[in-house]
Amino acid sequence: MGKKDADDAAKDMAKTVGTITAAGGAYQAALTMTRGTTSHLVNTLLRSNVGVLVLQAGIELSQPLKQYVNGEITGQKFAQDAGYRVTSLAASWEGAECGAAAGAILGPLGMTGGALLGGMIASIAMGLTGN
């Protein structure tokens, strides 16, 4: 897990934004399909970002899991890769949340721009620290 240069960090962020967009679309589809459900748990989860985060974590962990199952990497390498990916995901989400909060004073467009910028900064910072 070496340090990322700006190009690699930008590619990672583009992938993350694409994943979040796809996950958000899946979330909205699930929300539409389950509208009117009486399950308190389902309603609570659908009103939060938990579903999107779980879906994105699954997408992030699919590659190292596949490599581990196929015997391409050891259990230790899988744990290391999974830890890095989950930490990067958490940092990007937290950066996006902070950016959205900071951009909220500019309205919805500011929140969106702040979230994207915050996520990018967090992703770049993760790459620069080598974690």
Side-chain angles (χ1 to χ4, degrees):
M1 303 288 156
K3 294 183 179 184
K4 292 182 193 174
D5 62 15
D7 288 340
D8 288 338
K11 287 176 189 174
D12 283 351
M13 190 58 206
K15 179 182 160 195
T16 299
V17 169
T19 302
I20 290 171
T21 302
Y27 168 75
Q28 287 300 321
L31 183 63
T32 300
M33 288 186 293
T34 58
R35 188 165 291 149
T37 184
T38 58
S39 170
H40 179 68
L41 176 62
V42 171
N43 284 324
T44 301
L45 288 175
L46 288 174
R47 283 193 303 263
S48 71
N49 286 332
V50 172
V52 175
L53 188 56
V54 168
L55 180 62
Q56 189 174 5
I59 291 168
E60 283 293 319
L61 293 176
S62 64
Q63 182 183 7
L65 182 60
K66 179 181 172 189
Q67 290 174 327
Y68 177 66
V69 168
N70 290 336
E72 298 170 12
I73 60 173
T74 65
Q76 182 178 2
K77 178 69 172 153
F78 169 74
Q80 182 182 15
D81 288 355
Y84 174 76
R85 287 172 180 260
V86 169
T87 303
S88 295
L89 178 61
S92 291
W93 270 76
E94 193 58 37
E97 291 290 328
C98 291
I105 60 172
L106 300 176
L109 188 58
M111 286 179 67
T112 302
L116 289 172
L117 187 59
M120 284 185 215
I121 291 170
S123 181
I124 292 168
M126 283 294 297
L128 293 175
T129 61
N131 289 333

